[in-house]
Amino acid sequence: MTDMTTNMTTLAPSASEKFTQRALPFILFALLLIVIPFIGVSRGTLTLFNHIGINIVFALSYNMLLGRAGLLSFGHAVYLGLGGYFCVHILNWIADADGSGFWGNVPVFSLPIFGFAMGALAGAIIGWPSCRRAGTAFAMISLGVAELMSTAAFMFDSLFGGEMGISGDRMSGPKFFGLSMGPIEQVYYFIAFWTLVGTVAMYAFTRTPLGRLSEATRDNAERVQFIGYDPTRVRYLVFIFAGAFAGMAGGMSAVQDEIFTPDSLSLIPSGAILIATYIGGIRFFAGPIFGAILMTYMGSNLSDYTAGWLLYLGLMFISVVLFVPDGIAGLVFGFWRGIRSPGRYALIGKWITQILGLALVATSVIVVVEVAYRWSDGYGDVFAPFGFDLPHNGALTWVIGTLPLLAGILILRRVKRTESEA
């Protein structure tokens, strides 16, 4: 008995380990959010950070379904959209109240709370029939709900504003701690605050009994039922919280963009957040954060350099599904564990070889895609990386488009063969 107690004490994390693993990352995250405006970033960069914060909350809320409860949803944007629409309406109610009545005293800073409530209400209503099924049936139901809500947004103009959507003014209403919500710097701190609140709250949710039960239901619903819990009820409660935090992201977006359109309820943002979450890594809490940062950055900046950025995104998604199921987070944490292990030098050598192989493959893919796009576009543009013209009918073009690909594949296969022999 004494040995068992000693072993349990040894396995239990110490107070310092708990602080390092749980509290310290959020403290560093908060400090980073505070410091960003002081490093001389432009207004455009602050706007990009604002959208990253919104997508972080949105992706984490989606992972409550996919990563924690094992529910694949194709309509999660419905709850972001409903929360956002509700908050835009509130913006207009605040402006119409002109400082009188209930709405006249509601600060715009508090809108994510209303988005949270609307997302929870939508989750409670839609989740009641949806969560009676899991797996493929749940995914098909979510797809139907997304199409239904997207169509309804075009039909009911008084609620959704038709194709033009509904807009509002974030500078209306009383100030909150002197914030008028006009300058982009103030909007940044608004987004940063609610991003931190949402991230901490969703992490705390994973530590609750309901959060643990959702993971158990994902892994083995029959065993959960055997120990006295209803898997349907567990899924339903998780669904409500996931919708609530998506609605919070919608409230943040309503203040940032001051407009919501029916596109926000469609399959496109639902699919985008699915891709972002999976690329980031659904098995890690930080995975959706990595995925949201990457997706938002690619959508904002990579599109300035190439019209084929969505193709690259699709290739990246397929590659992650096939070869890196743990996503970016799996690579990051695997690298961190590797450099702390006794065999770190052998691992570093293997990683350098793999990076070389991937770089060669990526070089060929980029050349082929960019040359093919310019040739099919019909405008006569020539892909010219680093000043070298690569026309579609040039011999050098196809040498670069094939030889690095073959060399990269051979290198990666050799690394894999070496691992299997070891």
Side-chain angles (χ1 to χ4, degrees):
M1 185 68 178
T2 304
D3 293 339
M4 184 180 297
T5 305
T6 303
N7 291 334
M8 292 178 64
T9 305
T10 304
L11 293 175
S14 63
S16 61
E17 290 176 337
K18 288 182 179 180
F19 175 80
T20 302
Q21 297 174 2
R22 302 176 186 178
L24 184 59
F26 292 106
I27 294 174
L28 295 176
F29 185 41
L31 291 175
L32 177 63
L33 294 175
I34 294 172
V35 167
I36 284 175
F38 294 98
I39 59 178
V41 296
S42 64
R43 291 172 55 86
T45 304
L46 281 179
T47 302
L48 174 62
F49 280 126
N50 289 348
H51 285 110
I52 287 175
I54 294 167
N55 287 332
I56 284 174
V57 176
F58 189 27
L60 285 172
S61 71
Y62 182 74
N63 203 44
M64 293 176 72
L65 292 178
L66 181 60
R68 300 296 172 182
L71 298 174
L72 175 62
S73 173
F74 293 112
H76 198 58
V78 167
Y79 311 99
L80 177 138
L82 292 176
Y85 264 111
F86 183 50
C87 289
V88 173
H89 279 296
I90 293 177
L91 283 176
N92 293 322
W93 296 340
I94 292 174
D96 294 340
D98 196 21
S100 61
F102 174 77
W103 293 116
N105 293 292
V106 173
V108 172
F109 198 92
S110 65
L111 281 191
I113 299 175
F114 294 94
F116 183 93
M118 175 54 70
L121 177 61
I125 295 173
I126 298 173
W128 181 252
S130 301
C131 293
R132 295 178 181 273
R133 297 290 184 269
T136 304
F138 176 87
M140 293 300 100
I141 292 172
S142 69
L143 182 65
V145 169
E147 286 293 335
L148 176 67
M149 293 304 303
S150 180
T151 303
F154 288 101
M155 294 174 59
F156 301 102
D157 289 357
S158 59
L159 290 176
F160 301 100
E163 293 183 1
M164 301 301 294
I166 297 178
S167 59
D169 181 11
R170 67 185 180 215
M171 295 183 65
S172 58
K175 295 181 179 180
F176 184 80
F177 286 103
L179 299 177
S180 66
M181 304 303 294
I184 191 64
E185 292 80 8
Q186 295 187 11
V187 179
Y188 167 81
Y189 281 117
F190 161 81
I191 297 291
F193 173 80
W194 286 110
T195 299
L196 183 62
V197 169
T199 302
V200 172
M202 281 183 273
Y203 178 77
F205 176 85
T206 65
R207 315 299 299 180
T208 63
L210 178 59
R212 299 297 193 188
L213 277 173
S214 68
E215 297 176 9
T217 303
R218 173 200 63 196
D219 296 334
N220 195 325
E222 292 182 356
R223 181 167 295 182
V224 170
Q225 190 173 15
F226 180 76
I227 61 175
Y229 294 96
D230 184 1
T232 300
R233 181 172 296 179
V234 172
R235 295 190 192 101
Y236 179 54
L237 292 175
V238 174
F239 192 92
I240 292 174
F241 278 103
F245 284 107
M248 173 187 285
M252 296 161 63
S253 182
V255 176
Q256 162 60 36
D257 299 327
E258 299 179 284
I259 187 172
F260 254 83
T261 64
D263 290 338
S264 62
L265 298 165
S266 67
L267 291 172
I268 294 177
S270 294
I273 208 62
L274 187 160
I275 293 173
T277 304
Y278 202 94
I279 288 177
I282 62 174
R283 300 182 184 180
F284 299 86
F285 180 80
I289 298 176
F290 295 146
I293 293 172
L294 178 64
M295 279 283 292
T296 310
Y297 181 82
M298 288 182 65
S300 177
N301 292 293
L302 191 59
S303 58
D304 295 336
Y305 297 98
T306 174
W309 74 274
L310 284 173
L311 178 59
Y312 296 126
L313 177 63
L315 292 173
M316 183 189 302
F317 179 63
I318 294 172
S319 300
V320 168
V321 172
L322 292 176
F323 306 112
V324 194
D326 288 339
I328 298 173
L331 294 176
V332 171
F333 293 118
F335 174 78
W336 177 246
R337 288 192 297 268
I339 62 175
R340 300 171 65 190
S341 66
R344 65 177 70 92
Y345 298 110
L347 284 174
I348 291 174
K350 185 190 76 171
W351 292 334
I352 292 174
T353 306
Q354 288 177 323
I355 291 173
L356 175 61
L358 291 173
L360 290 171
V361 172
T363 298
S364 291
V365 170
I366 292 171
V367 169
V368 171
V369 169
E370 295 301 324
V371 171
Y373 172 75
R374 283 162 174 77
W375 176 54
S376 63
D377 199 39
Y379 291 107
D381 292 339
V382 175
F383 183 47
F386 307 107
F388 293 99
D389 289 346
L390 297 176
H392 70 277
N393 55 358
L396 179 62
T397 300
W398 296 108
V399 168
I400 299 177
T402 55
L403 290 184
L405 176 65
L406 296 175
I409 292 175
L410 289 174
I411 291 173
L412 293 175
R413 287 177 62 87
R414 183 174 180 80
V415 172
K416 186 175 182 180
R417 189 182 302 115
T418 302
E419 287 181 346
S420 61
E421 291 175 354

